Amino acid sequence: MTTIDLNADLGEGFGRWRLTDDEQLLSVVTSANVACGFHAGDAATMRRVCDQAAERGVRIGAQVSYRDLAGFGRRAMDVPAAELTAEVAYQIGALEVFARAAGAHVAYVKPHGALYNRVVHDEEQAGAVVDGVLLAGASLPVLGLPGSRLLELAGKAGLPVVTEAFADRAYTQRGTLVPRGRDGAVITDPEAVVERSVGLARYGVVTSHTGTPIGVRARSLCLHGDTPGAVELARRVRDGLEACGVRVEAFV
C-alpha cells in the first residue's frame, strides 16, 4: 500500500499572537514542524505545541530558520556558515527540551522559508544546516526538497534524508518551488490541492506552472498551516488520500 506522511508548520505565533490553529491541525497531520523561535514561536508556544503533539502521537520536528522574526523567516539573508551552524543547533536544542518534557523527542529537522529555498542550491548554507544538525548531537532525519544540496550533503554526512512535496505550491519545470512573490505561486483551490496531493502520493507526479507534468517523488507532503481555511483543507487532503487507498502515517 502507498503511504505518505502529512506535515504542517505549527507554533507559528509569538506571545499573544497566533497564526496557526495548532490544536486542530494536530488532529490531521502526522508530523509537526514546530517553529523554534527564530522566524516565529516562543518558549510557551513551543511547550504547548509539543505537549499537544505528544498527546496525539504526532512526530515533532524542529523547523529551523534564519533569525528573522520581523520577516517571518522569508527574507533572503546572508549568514556566515559558522553562525548558521550554531543557530541551527541552538534551535534544535531549545525544542528538544520541550519535546522531552512532553515525553517525546525531536524526530527530524526541516528548514523554513528563505533558508529552505536557499539550501536547495547553496552548498555552503546547506552544509551549515547539516553541521548544525550534527552539532545538536543526534542523527536526525532531514526533510527537504528532492534533489536539493541539503539532502545530498545530509546523506553524505550519514543523516537520514526524507523527500518532501507541496500540494499547495506551484512548481517550476526544474522541480523547484515558484517564488511566493509570483502570481499563482500558492494554490488556493481546494479541489486542485486534493487532486495534486493524490497525484503526488500515488504517482509521484505534479503539474508544473507551465502545464508540464514533472516527477516529484516524496515521502512527506507539506500542508501549510498559515493559509486561510488551512484546517478544513488539511482534512480534505487527508480524506482524499485515504479514499484513494493511500495510508497516511509518519515517516519516523
Side-chain angles (χ1 to χ4, degrees), residues 11-133:
E12 291 184 325
F14 192 83
R16 297 177 62 185
W17 174 66
R18 293 190 184 185
L19 178 63
T20 51
D21 189 342
D22 300 323
E23 188 169 5
Q24 293 300 315
L25 282 168
L26 283 167
S27 68
V28 181
V29 301
T30 47
S31 296
N33 317 316
V34 183
C36 299
F38 272 39
H39 76 280
D42 55 27
T45 302
M46 292 161 68
R47 182 179 184 183
R48 172 177 51 80
V49 175
C50 284
D51 286 346
Q52 293 174 346
E55 182 180 346
R56 291 163 176 78
V58 175
R59 302 299 185 270
I60 297 169
Q63 187 165 43
V64 298
S65 171
Y66 288 127
R67 187 187 292 271
D68 182 26
L69 277 175
F72 197 60
R74 288 179 174 162
R75 297 185 294 189
M77 303 184 76
D78 290 317
V79 179
E83 183 176 336
L84 181 58
T85 291
E87 291 188 339
V88 166
Y90 179 93
Q91 292 174 78
I92 296 170
L95 187 64
E96 178 67 13
V97 169
F98 299 116
R100 287 189 179 183
H105 65 278
V106 173
Y108 65 95
V109 177
K110 174 185 172 178
H112 165 82
L115 180 58
Y116 186 98
N117 292 319
R118 181 77 171 265
V119 297
V120 172
H121 303 295
D122 191 314
E123 182 167 358
E124 182 185 60
Q125 296 283 279
V129 172
V130 171
D131 288 344
V133 176

Side-chain angles (χ1 to χ4, degrees), residues 122-128 130 148-159 161:
D122 191 314
E123 182 167 358
E124 182 185 60
Q125 296 283 279
V130 171
S148 65
R149 297 296 286 158
L150 174 66
L151 294 193
E152 178 186 350
L153 295 178
K156 288 181 177 178
L159 298 174
V161 298

Side-chain angles (χ1 to χ4, degrees), residues 4-10 12 25 29-33 63 74 108 110-113 116 143-145 163-169 171 177 180 187 193 196-197 200 218-227 230 233-234 237 241 251:
I4 195 79
D5 170 67
L6 293 181
N7 76 76
D9 303 345
L10 301 178
E12 291 184 325
L25 282 168
V29 301
T30 47
S31 296
N33 317 316
Q63 187 165 43
R74 288 179 174 162
Y108 65 95
K110 174 185 172 178
H112 165 82
Y116 186 98
L143 186 61
L145 205 66
T163 53
E164 177 183 39
F166 295 81
D168 61 354
R169 290 294 308 276
Y171 279 82
L177 300 179
R180 278 183 173 268
I187 312 298
V193 174
R196 289 163 69 88
S197 299
L200 285 162
R219 178 63 186 87
S220 185
L221 188 64
C222 180
L223 305 172
H224 283 100
D226 62 340
T227 54
L233 181 58
V237 166
L241 290 168
F251 61 83

